[in-house]
Amino acid sequence: MLNRLKEYAINNNIPIMEEEGIVFLTTFIKDNQVKNILEIGSAIGYSAINMALVDKDIIITTVERDTDRYLQAVKNIKKFNLKDRIKIIEADALDIVLEDKYDLIFIDAAKSQYIKFFEKFKNNLNDNGFIVTDNLKFHGLTNNVDIIKSRNLRALVRKINNYVVFLKNNQEFITEFIDIGDGISISQRNK
C-alpha cells in the first residue's frame, strides 16, 4: 500500500521524501525511541504514515495548508487505520499555536520558510529532542545556484542555502548534516 501511495505522489507531482531519506528517517526514529512527532508539511501523508508505522506507540501531529493535499492525507491516513495516531491540522503552520512538546519536529514544507518554522517550533521540542529538516540539497541545485535560469527558483535555492548557514551558525543548537536522499539535517539543543 505504501508503494501505491508513493506512485500516486510521483504521478501527480506531489513532493515526498526520497526513498533513502525516508529509510534514514524511520531508522533514526526507531534508534532514538521517538514517540511524539510534529511534522510541518503533510502533503498526502506519506512521511507521517511511514513514521507512524515504525512503532505502535508513535503519535504524530502533522500540519498541511493545501486543502486538496490535506483531504488526500486524511483519506490515506484512514486507509492505513492510523487516524487515532496521526492528527492532521489544515492550516498554515506559521498561523497555529501548539502547546505540546515533541521528541522530533520534522520540517518538510515551504522551503522559503524553513528558518521561520525552526524558530517558531523550537520551543515545542523536548529537551533531548531533534529537529530534522529535509531537502537541503534541493535536487542538487543548492550547489549550483548560478546555473538556475528561473529567478524564483534561484531565490528559493538561496533561502535554502541561508537556512543551512543559519543552522551552522546557531549557538543554541548543534546540527549534523546527512548527505542522504535530498539532504537532511538533524539539530539538537546545545547542552
Side-chain angles (χ1 to χ4, degrees):
M1 252 171 42
L2 274 172
N3 280 340
R4 211 172 297 145
L5 196 54
K6 184 176 167 184
E7 214 172 272
Y8 176 86
I10 292 165
N11 292 337
N12 290 280
N13 287 326
I14 296 165
I16 58 170
M17 272 191 102
E18 289 185 11
E19 186 64 30
E20 58 180 353
I22 200 77
V23 168
F24 173 84
L25 179 62
T26 53
T27 303
F28 182 85
I29 287 167
K30 185 177 184 180
D31 291 349
N32 290 281
Q33 293 158 16
V34 168
K35 298 296 180 216
N36 200 358
I37 301 170
L38 170 62
E39 177 185 47
I40 309 301
S42 318
I44 59 169
Y46 179 74
S47 48
I49 290 165
N50 272 279
M51 292 187 288
L53 292 175
V54 170
D55 186 286
K56 63 180 175 41
D57 295 328
I58 292 175
I59 302 291
I60 300 171
T61 301
T62 183
V63 185
E64 178 57 52
R65 72 177 186 186
D66 180 283
T67 301
D68 292 338
R69 289 183 182 177
Y70 164 81
L71 293 171
Q72 190 67 45
V74 168
K75 204 167 24 169
N76 292 329
I77 290 163
K78 273 185 190 161
K79 266 187 210 164
F80 281 83
N81 295 316
L82 292 169
K83 62 184 188 308
D84 294 340
R85 297 198 291 120
I86 301 175
K87 173 187 169 189
I88 182 164
I89 300 167
E90 183 186 7
D92 186 316
L94 294 174
D95 294 338
I96 63 170
V97 176
L98 298 172
E99 302 297 328
D100 294 339
K101 295 280 188 182
Y102 302 93
D103 301 324
L104 187 142
I105 296 172
F106 179 49
I107 302 174
D108 191 17
K111 318 299 172 233
S112 61
Q113 304 296 324
Y114 274 5
I115 293 173
K116 287 180 183 173
F117 292 143
F118 191 102
E119 291 288 6
K120 179 175 175 74
F121 294 107
K122 69 181 182 183
N123 295 325
N124 292 94
L125 193 65
N126 284 328
D127 289 341
N128 295 320
F130 306 92
I131 298 178
V132 175
T133 310
D134 190 32
N135 299 120
L136 297 182
K137 291 195 298 189
F138 202 62
H139 318 295
L141 294 175
T142 53
N143 293 328
N144 297 301
V145 181
D146 300 333
I147 66 162
I148 303 169
K149 304 250 186 289
S150 159
R151 206 171 82 218
N152 289 345
L153 184 56
R154 213 172 25 250
L156 177 60
V157 169
R158 281 199 181 99
K159 286 184 177 178
I160 295 169
N161 284 335
N162 289 343
Y163 179 67
V164 170
V165 171
F166 162 82
L167 292 176
K168 286 179 179 175
N169 295 332
N170 194 314
Q171 300 298 304
E172 190 183 353
F173 285 81
I174 294 174
T175 298
E176 182 182 356
F177 296 91
I178 312 293
D179 191 16
I180 209 163
D182 200 25
I184 295 172
S185 65
I186 300 168
S187 304
Q188 197 170 25
R189 259 197 190 87
N190 195 354
K191 292 181 180 65

